[in-house]
mmCIF file of all heavy atoms in Angstrom:
data_model
loop_
_atom_site.group_PDB
_atom_site.id
_atom_site.type_symbol
_atom_site.label_atom_id
_atom_site.label_comp_id
_atom_site.label_asym_id
_atom_site.label_seq_id
_atom_site.Cartn_x
_atom_site.Cartn_y
_atom_site.Cartn_z
ATOM 1 N N SER Y 13 -7.431 8.765 -18.894
ATOM 2 C CA SER Y 13 -8.248 8.753 -17.680
ATOM 3 C C SER Y 13 -8.094 10.067 -16.939
ATOM 4 O O SER Y 13 -7.100 10.783 -17.107
ATOM 5 C CB SER Y 13 -7.852 7.586 -16.763
ATOM 6 O OG SER Y 13 -6.512 7.715 -16.337
ATOM 7 N N ALA Y 14 -9.098 10.376 -16.135
ATOM 8 C CA ALA Y 14 -9.043 11.501 -15.201
ATOM 9 C C ALA Y 14 -9.670 11.000 -13.913
ATOM 10 O O ALA Y 14 -10.879 10.762 -13.853
ATOM 11 C CB ALA Y 14 -9.792 12.706 -15.751
ATOM 12 N N ARG Y 15 -8.835 10.830 -12.892
ATOM 13 C CA ARG Y 15 -9.318 10.191 -11.672
ATOM 14 C C ARG Y 15 -8.907 11.011 -10.446
ATOM 15 O O ARG Y 15 -7.889 11.712 -10.469
ATOM 16 C CB ARG Y 15 -8.777 8.766 -11.559
ATOM 17 C CG ARG Y 15 -9.219 7.846 -12.702
ATOM 18 C CD ARG Y 15 -8.778 6.415 -12.464
ATOM 19 N NE ARG Y 15 -9.356 5.895 -11.220
ATOM 20 C CZ ARG Y 15 -8.991 4.733 -10.679
ATOM 21 N NH1 ARG Y 15 -8.060 4.005 -11.257
ATOM 22 N NH2 ARG Y 15 -9.553 4.326 -9.546
ATOM 23 N N THR Y 16 -9.690 10.866 -9.391
ATOM 24 C CA THR Y 16 -9.376 11.596 -8.165
ATOM 25 C C THR Y 16 -9.860 10.809 -6.952
ATOM 26 O O THR Y 16 -10.824 10.030 -7.047
ATOM 27 C CB THR Y 16 -10.028 12.993 -8.162
ATOM 28 O OG1 THR Y 16 -9.657 13.681 -6.960
ATOM 29 C CG2 THR Y 16 -11.541 12.895 -8.256
ATOM 30 N N LEU Y 17 -9.194 11.017 -5.844
ATOM 31 C CA LEU Y 17 -9.652 10.464 -4.572
ATOM 32 C C LEU Y 17 -10.639 11.398 -3.884
ATOM 33 O O LEU Y 17 -11.086 11.110 -2.766
ATOM 34 C CB LEU Y 17 -8.452 10.189 -3.656
ATOM 35 C CG LEU Y 17 -7.422 9.169 -4.169
ATOM 36 C CD1 LEU Y 17 -6.344 8.936 -3.129
ATOM 37 C CD2 LEU Y 17 -8.098 7.855 -4.554
ATOM 38 N N GLY Y 18 -10.955 12.503 -4.546
ATOM 39 C CA GLY Y 18 -11.959 13.426 -4.026
ATOM 40 C C GLY Y 18 -11.372 14.493 -3.129
ATOM 41 O O GLY Y 18 -10.242 14.387 -2.656
ATOM 42 N N PRO Y 19 -12.138 15.548 -2.883
ATOM 43 C CA PRO Y 19 -11.627 16.663 -2.079
ATOM 44 C C PRO Y 19 -11.287 16.276 -0.648
ATOM 45 O O PRO Y 19 -10.442 16.905 -0.010
ATOM 46 C CB PRO Y 19 -12.778 17.681 -2.124
ATOM 47 C CG PRO Y 19 -13.991 16.891 -2.487
ATOM 48 C CD PRO Y 19 -13.508 15.788 -3.365
ATOM 49 N N GLN Y 20 -11.936 15.241 -0.132
ATOM 50 C CA GLN Y 20 -11.639 14.782 1.228
ATOM 51 C C GLN Y 20 -10.619 13.655 1.244
ATOM 52 O O GLN Y 20 -10.164 13.239 2.314
ATOM 53 C CB GLN Y 20 -12.933 14.311 1.917
ATOM 54 C CG GLN Y 20 -14.044 15.339 1.946
ATOM 55 C CD GLN Y 20 -13.603 16.631 2.608
ATOM 56 O OE1 GLN Y 20 -12.956 16.621 3.656
ATOM 57 N NE2 GLN Y 20 -13.966 17.765 1.998
ATOM 58 N N GLY Y 21 -10.268 13.153 0.058
ATOM 59 C CA GLY Y 21 -9.352 12.028 -0.004
ATOM 60 C C GLY Y 21 -10.011 10.738 0.442
ATOM 61 O O GLY Y 21 -11.235 10.663 0.625
ATOM 62 N N GLN Y 22 -9.190 9.710 0.605
ATOM 63 C CA GLN Y 22 -9.686 8.432 1.094
ATOM 64 C C GLN Y 22 -8.920 8.059 2.361
ATOM 65 O O GLN Y 22 -7.700 8.225 2.435
ATOM 66 C CB GLN Y 22 -9.554 7.334 0.045
ATOM 67 C CG GLN Y 22 -10.522 7.494 -1.110
ATOM 68 C CD GLN Y 22 -10.577 6.264 -2.003
ATOM 69 O OE1 GLN Y 22 -9.967 5.244 -1.728
ATOM 70 N NE2 GLN Y 22 -11.341 6.369 -3.087
ATOM 71 N N THR Y 23 -9.655 7.534 3.349
ATOM 72 C CA THR Y 23 -9.068 7.182 4.632
ATOM 73 C C THR Y 23 -9.208 5.684 4.869
ATOM 74 O O THR Y 23 -10.252 5.091 4.566
ATOM 75 C CB THR Y 23 -9.755 7.945 5.777
ATOM 76 O OG1 THR Y 23 -9.621 9.347 5.554
ATOM 77 C CG2 THR Y 23 -9.142 7.587 7.128
ATOM 78 N N GLY Y 24 -8.157 5.091 5.389
ATOM 79 C CA GLY Y 24 -8.205 3.666 5.691
ATOM 80 C C GLY Y 24 -7.087 3.284 6.629
ATOM 81 O O GLY Y 24 -6.134 4.043 6.863
ATOM 82 N N GLU Y 25 -7.207 2.094 7.160
ATOM 83 C CA GLU Y 25 -6.192 1.542 8.045
ATOM 84 C C GLU Y 25 -4.919 1.234 7.258
ATOM 85 O O GLU Y 25 -4.972 0.922 6.067
ATOM 86 C CB GLU Y 25 -6.734 0.275 8.701
ATOM 87 C CG GLU Y 25 -5.820 -0.366 9.724
ATOM 88 C CD GLU Y 25 -6.410 -1.635 10.309
ATOM 89 O OE1 GLU Y 25 -7.645 -1.797 10.232
ATOM 90 O OE2 GLU Y 25 -5.641 -2.464 10.830
ATOM 91 N N ILE Y 26 -3.782 1.317 7.916
ATOM 92 C CA ILE Y 26 -2.498 1.003 7.296
ATOM 93 C C ILE Y 26 -2.066 -0.404 7.713
ATOM 94 O O ILE Y 26 -2.073 -0.741 8.905
ATOM 95 C CB ILE Y 26 -1.416 2.015 7.716
ATOM 96 C CG1 ILE Y 26 -1.762 3.418 7.223
ATOM 97 C CG2 ILE Y 26 -0.048 1.590 7.178
ATOM 98 C CD1 ILE Y 26 -0.810 4.490 7.714
ATOM 99 N N VAL Y 27 -1.686 -1.213 6.724
ATOM 100 C CA VAL Y 27 -1.097 -2.526 6.978
ATOM 101 C C VAL Y 27 0.369 -2.454 6.560
ATOM 102 O O VAL Y 27 0.670 -2.254 5.381
ATOM 103 C CB VAL Y 27 -1.824 -3.637 6.202
ATOM 104 C CG1 VAL Y 27 -1.136 -4.989 6.445
ATOM 105 C CG2 VAL Y 27 -3.290 -3.699 6.609
ATOM 106 N N ASP Y 28 1.263 -2.599 7.524
ATOM 107 C CA ASP Y 28 2.702 -2.458 7.280
ATOM 108 C C ASP Y 28 3.309 -3.825 6.996
ATOM 109 O O ASP Y 28 3.398 -4.679 7.882
ATOM 110 C CB ASP Y 28 3.368 -1.823 8.508
ATOM 111 C CG ASP Y 28 4.845 -1.536 8.294
ATOM 112 O OD1 ASP Y 28 5.352 -1.790 7.176
ATOM 113 O OD2 ASP Y 28 5.499 -1.059 9.246
ATOM 114 N N ILE Y 29 3.739 -4.050 5.747
ATOM 115 C CA ILE Y 29 4.358 -5.335 5.398
ATOM 116 C C ILE Y 29 5.880 -5.229 5.339
ATOM 117 O O ILE Y 29 6.554 -6.221 5.036
ATOM 118 C CB ILE Y 29 3.815 -5.885 4.066
ATOM 119 C CG1 ILE Y 29 4.206 -4.971 2.893
ATOM 120 C CG2 ILE Y 29 2.304 -6.068 4.137
ATOM 121 C CD1 ILE Y 29 3.915 -5.586 1.530
ATOM 122 N N GLY Y 30 6.434 -4.041 5.596
ATOM 123 C CA GLY Y 30 7.886 -3.871 5.582
ATOM 124 C C GLY Y 30 8.475 -4.256 4.243
ATOM 125 O O GLY Y 30 7.972 -3.866 3.184
ATOM 126 N N SER Y 31 9.542 -5.061 4.258
ATOM 127 C CA SER Y 31 10.182 -5.500 3.023
ATOM 128 C C SER Y 31 9.700 -6.881 2.596
ATOM 129 O O SER Y 31 10.296 -7.499 1.713
ATOM 130 C CB SER Y 31 11.705 -5.519 3.191
ATOM 131 O OG SER Y 31 12.076 -6.371 4.272
ATOM 132 N N GLY Y 32 8.605 -7.359 3.234
ATOM 133 C CA GLY Y 32 8.057 -8.659 2.886
ATOM 134 C C GLY Y 32 6.996 -8.551 1.801
ATOM 135 O O GLY Y 32 6.969 -7.608 1.010
ATOM 136 N N THR Y 33 6.100 -9.529 1.777
ATOM 137 C CA THR Y 33 5.008 -9.541 0.806
ATOM 138 C C THR Y 33 3.674 -9.499 1.555
ATOM 139 O O THR Y 33 3.620 -9.671 2.769
ATOM 140 C CB THR Y 33 5.065 -10.801 -0.074
ATOM 141 O OG1 THR Y 33 4.923 -11.963 0.763
ATOM 142 C CG2 THR Y 33 6.390 -10.881 -0.823
ATOM 143 N N ILE Y 34 2.608 -9.294 0.805
ATOM 144 C CA ILE Y 34 1.292 -9.223 1.422
ATOM 145 C C ILE Y 34 0.876 -10.581 1.975
ATOM 146 O O ILE Y 34 0.323 -10.681 3.066
ATOM 147 C CB ILE Y 34 0.263 -8.688 0.414
ATOM 148 C CG1 ILE Y 34 0.547 -7.211 0.132
ATOM 149 C CG2 ILE Y 34 -1.165 -8.866 0.931
ATOM 150 C CD1 ILE Y 34 -0.306 -6.610 -0.954
ATOM 151 N N GLY Y 35 1.169 -11.637 1.221
ATOM 152 C CA GLY Y 35 0.850 -12.972 1.691
ATOM 153 C C GLY Y 35 -0.619 -13.106 2.053
ATOM 154 O O GLY Y 35 -1.513 -12.794 1.264
ATOM 155 N N THR Y 36 -0.881 -13.553 3.294
ATOM 156 C CA THR Y 36 -2.265 -13.750 3.751
ATOM 157 C C THR Y 36 -2.815 -12.548 4.523
ATOM 158 O O THR Y 36 -3.904 -12.623 5.097
ATOM 159 C CB THR Y 36 -2.340 -14.998 4.650
ATOM 160 O OG1 THR Y 36 -1.460 -14.825 5.770
ATOM 161 C CG2 THR Y 36 -1.941 -16.247 3.878
ATOM 162 N N SER Y 37 -2.074 -11.442 4.540
ATOM 163 C CA SER Y 37 -2.538 -10.255 5.270
ATOM 164 C C SER Y 37 -3.841 -9.729 4.667
ATOM 165 O O SER Y 37 -4.001 -9.702 3.445
ATOM 166 C CB SER Y 37 -1.478 -9.155 5.232
ATOM 167 O OG SER Y 37 -0.281 -9.575 5.832
ATOM 168 N N ASP Y 38 -4.739 -9.302 5.526
ATOM 169 C CA ASP Y 38 -5.999 -8.719 5.074
ATOM 170 C C ASP Y 38 -5.772 -7.240 4.773
ATOM 171 O O ASP Y 38 -5.622 -6.415 5.676
ATOM 172 C CB ASP Y 38 -7.060 -8.878 6.160
ATOM 173 C CG ASP Y 38 -8.390 -8.216 5.768
ATOM 174 O OD1 ASP Y 38 -8.566 -7.920 4.568
ATOM 175 O OD2 ASP Y 38 -9.220 -7.981 6.669
ATOM 176 N N VAL Y 39 -5.705 -6.906 3.505
ATOM 177 C CA VAL Y 39 -5.456 -5.513 3.113
ATOM 178 C C VAL Y 39 -6.635 -4.905 2.365
ATOM 179 O O VAL Y 39 -6.547 -3.775 1.884
ATOM 180 C CB VAL Y 39 -4.182 -5.401 2.252
ATOM 181 C CG1 VAL Y 39 -2.965 -5.910 3.006
ATOM 182 C CG2 VAL Y 39 -4.338 -6.148 0.927
ATOM 183 N N LYS Y 40 -7.743 -5.610 2.272
ATOM 184 C CA LYS Y 40 -8.884 -5.094 1.522
ATOM 185 C C LYS Y 40 -9.393 -3.808 2.175
ATOM 186 O O LYS Y 40 -9.666 -3.750 3.377
ATOM 187 C CB LYS Y 40 -10.009 -6.136 1.483
ATOM 188 C CG LYS Y 40 -11.164 -5.719 0.575
ATOM 189 C CD LYS Y 40 -12.170 -6.848 0.426
ATOM 190 C CE LYS Y 40 -13.284 -6.440 -0.537
ATOM 191 N NZ LYS Y 40 -14.284 -7.542 -0.714
ATOM 192 N N GLY Y 41 -9.499 -2.751 1.348
ATOM 193 C CA GLY Y 41 -9.953 -1.466 1.843
ATOM 194 C C GLY Y 41 -8.948 -0.766 2.751
ATOM 195 O O GLY Y 41 -9.321 0.160 3.476
ATOM 196 N N LYS Y 42 -7.689 -1.166 2.681
ATOM 197 C CA LYS Y 42 -6.653 -0.605 3.543
ATOM 198 C C LYS Y 42 -5.457 -0.140 2.698
ATOM 199 O O LYS Y 42 -5.315 -0.511 1.536
ATOM 200 C CB LYS Y 42 -6.189 -1.653 4.567
ATOM 201 C CG LYS Y 42 -7.322 -2.199 5.426
ATOM 202 C CD LYS Y 42 -6.854 -3.342 6.307
ATOM 203 C CE LYS Y 42 -8.023 -3.946 7.093
ATOM 204 N NZ LYS Y 42 -7.595 -5.091 7.934
ATOM 205 N N TRP Y 43 -4.602 0.663 3.325
ATOM 206 C CA TRP Y 43 -3.362 1.096 2.673
ATOM 207 C C TRP Y 43 -2.258 0.091 2.977
ATOM 208 O O TRP Y 43 -2.089 -0.324 4.123
ATOM 209 C CB TRP Y 43 -2.930 2.475 3.180
ATOM 210 C CG TRP Y 43 -3.923 3.565 2.961
ATOM 211 C CD1 TRP Y 43 -4.675 4.203 3.905
ATOM 212 C CD2 TRP Y 43 -4.291 4.145 1.706
ATOM 213 N NE1 TRP Y 43 -5.481 5.146 3.332
ATOM 214 C CE2 TRP Y 43 -5.272 5.135 1.972
ATOM 215 C CE3 TRP Y 43 -3.900 3.937 0.396
ATOM 216 C CZ2 TRP Y 43 -5.848 5.909 0.971
ATOM 217 C CZ3 TRP Y 43 -4.476 4.709 -0.609
ATOM 218 C CH2 TRP Y 43 -5.431 5.676 -0.332
ATOM 219 N N VAL Y 44 -1.490 -0.264 1.956
ATOM 220 C CA VAL Y 44 -0.343 -1.147 2.137
ATOM 221 C C VAL Y 44 0.917 -0.291 2.242
ATOM 222 O O VAL Y 44 1.257 0.445 1.310
ATOM 223 C CB VAL Y 44 -0.206 -2.151 0.977
ATOM 224 C CG1 VAL Y 44 1.082 -2.963 1.125
ATOM 225 C CG2 VAL Y 44 -1.415 -3.078 0.925
ATOM 226 N N LEU Y 45 1.573 -0.375 3.386
ATOM 227 C CA LEU Y 45 2.841 0.326 3.606
ATOM 228 C C LEU Y 45 3.963 -0.673 3.372
ATOM 229 O O LEU Y 45 4.007 -1.728 4.019
ATOM 230 C CB LEU Y 45 2.896 0.876 5.036
ATOM 231 C CG LEU Y 45 4.200 1.549 5.478
ATOM 232 C CD1 LEU Y 45 4.432 2.839 4.696
ATOM 233 C CD2 LEU Y 45 4.170 1.829 6.980
ATOM 234 N N PHE Y 46 4.871 -0.369 2.430
ATOM 235 C CA PHE Y 46 5.932 -1.326 2.106
ATOM 236 C C PHE Y 46 7.250 -0.613 1.864
ATOM 237 O O PHE Y 46 7.281 0.582 1.552
ATOM 238 C CB PHE Y 46 5.548 -2.158 0.871
ATOM 239 C CG PHE Y 46 5.645 -1.413 -0.444
ATOM 240 C CD1 PHE Y 46 6.723 -1.590 -1.291
ATOM 241 C CD2 PHE Y 46 4.636 -0.533 -0.844
ATOM 242 C CE1 PHE Y 46 6.817 -0.914 -2.499
ATOM 243 C CE2 PHE Y 46 4.716 0.152 -2.051
ATOM 244 C CZ PHE Y 46 5.812 -0.034 -2.885
ATOM 245 N N ASP Y 47 8.334 -1.357 2.023
ATOM 246 C CA ASP Y 47 9.675 -0.852 1.733
ATOM 247 C C ASP Y 47 10.037 -1.230 0.303
ATOM 248 O O ASP Y 47 10.095 -2.425 -0.036
ATOM 249 C CB ASP Y 47 10.703 -1.452 2.686
ATOM 250 C CG ASP Y 47 10.547 -0.957 4.108
ATOM 251 O OD1 ASP Y 47 10.192 0.218 4.285
ATOM 252 O OD2 ASP Y 47 10.775 -1.754 5.045
ATOM 253 N N LEU Y 48 10.264 -0.227 -0.550
ATOM 254 C CA LEU Y 48 10.698 -0.502 -1.914
ATOM 255 C C LEU Y 48 12.146 -0.983 -1.886
ATOM 256 O O LEU Y 48 13.017 -0.326 -1.321
ATOM 257 C CB LEU Y 48 10.605 0.755 -2.781
ATOM 258 C CG LEU Y 48 10.990 0.535 -4.248
ATOM 259 C CD1 LEU Y 48 9.893 -0.214 -4.988
ATOM 260 C CD2 LEU Y 48 11.299 1.864 -4.938
ATOM 261 N N LYS Y 49 12.394 -2.130 -2.513
ATOM 262 C CA LYS Y 49 13.740 -2.690 -2.550
ATOM 263 C C LYS Y 49 14.279 -2.649 -3.981
ATOM 264 O O LYS Y 49 13.575 -2.979 -4.940
ATOM 265 C CB LYS Y 49 13.742 -4.134 -2.040
ATOM 266 C CG LYS Y 49 13.134 -4.317 -0.641
ATOM 267 C CD LYS Y 49 13.799 -3.441 0.401
ATOM 268 C CE LYS Y 49 15.247 -3.820 0.670
ATOM 269 N NZ LYS Y 49 15.846 -2.962 1.731
ATOM 270 N N PHE Y 50 15.525 -2.231 -4.098
ATOM 271 C CA PHE Y 50 16.231 -2.289 -5.378
ATOM 272 C C PHE Y 50 16.879 -3.668 -5.464
ATOM 273 O O PHE Y 50 17.730 -4.013 -4.648
ATOM 274 C CB PHE Y 50 17.282 -1.188 -5.463
ATOM 275 C CG PHE Y 50 16.712 0.212 -5.448
ATOM 276 C CD1 PHE Y 50 17.534 1.303 -5.211
ATOM 277 C CD2 PHE Y 50 15.366 0.441 -5.672
ATOM 278 C CE1 PHE Y 50 17.023 2.595 -5.194
ATOM 279 C CE2 PHE Y 50 14.837 1.733 -5.665
ATOM 280 C CZ PHE Y 50 15.671 2.806 -5.418
ATOM 281 N N GLU Y 51 16.484 -4.459 -6.461
ATOM 282 C CA GLU Y 51 16.722 -5.901 -6.428
ATOM 283 C C GLU Y 51 17.865 -6.406 -7.307
ATOM 284 O O GLU Y 51 18.147 -7.616 -7.299
ATOM 285 C CB GLU Y 51 15.443 -6.638 -6.829
ATOM 286 C CG GLU Y 51 14.295 -6.415 -5.851
ATOM 287 C CD GLU Y 51 13.092 -7.265 -6.163
ATOM 288 O OE1 GLU Y 51 12.810 -7.475 -7.356
ATOM 289 O OE2 GLU Y 51 12.430 -7.697 -5.212
ATOM 290 N N LEU Y 52 18.502 -5.550 -8.062
ATOM 291 C CA LEU Y 52 19.519 -6.065 -8.983
ATOM 292 C C LEU Y 52 20.868 -5.406 -8.703
ATOM 293 O O LEU Y 52 21.222 -4.402 -9.327
ATOM 294 C CB LEU Y 52 19.105 -5.814 -10.429
ATOM 295 C CG LEU Y 52 19.938 -6.539 -11.496
ATOM 296 C CD1 LEU Y 52 19.814 -8.051 -11.340
ATOM 297 C CD2 LEU Y 52 19.489 -6.130 -12.889
ATOM 298 N N PRO Y 53 21.666 -5.941 -7.777
ATOM 299 C CA PRO Y 53 22.998 -5.389 -7.529
ATOM 300 C C PRO Y 53 23.946 -5.733 -8.669
ATOM 301 O O PRO Y 53 23.701 -6.654 -9.455
ATOM 302 C CB PRO Y 53 23.416 -6.079 -6.229
ATOM 303 C CG PRO Y 53 22.700 -7.381 -6.258
ATOM 304 C CD PRO Y 53 21.374 -7.098 -6.916
#
């Protein structure tokens, strides 16, 4: 593949889910901001 967001990029609202999950949050057409967790101590 060869893909791009274009010279202007893509702009959208940010939905911050922290260290949780998306669940019922409306994220369509938006950026999902999340905390990456390392899960196997």
Side-chain angles (χ1 to χ4, degrees):
S13 62
R15 298 186 60 189
T16 182
L17 298 183
Q20 305 303 316
Q22 289 191 5
T23 301
E25 184 181 339
I26 296 174
V27 177
D28 185 2
I29 65 170
S31 58
T33 61
I34 291 174
T36 59
S37 299
D38 177 16
V39 301
K40 187 173 183 179
K42 303 173 184 178
W43 301 109
V44 174
L45 175 67
F46 74 101
D47 291 325
L48 182 74
K49 305 304 293 182
F50 296 165
E51 296 187 324
L52 191 62

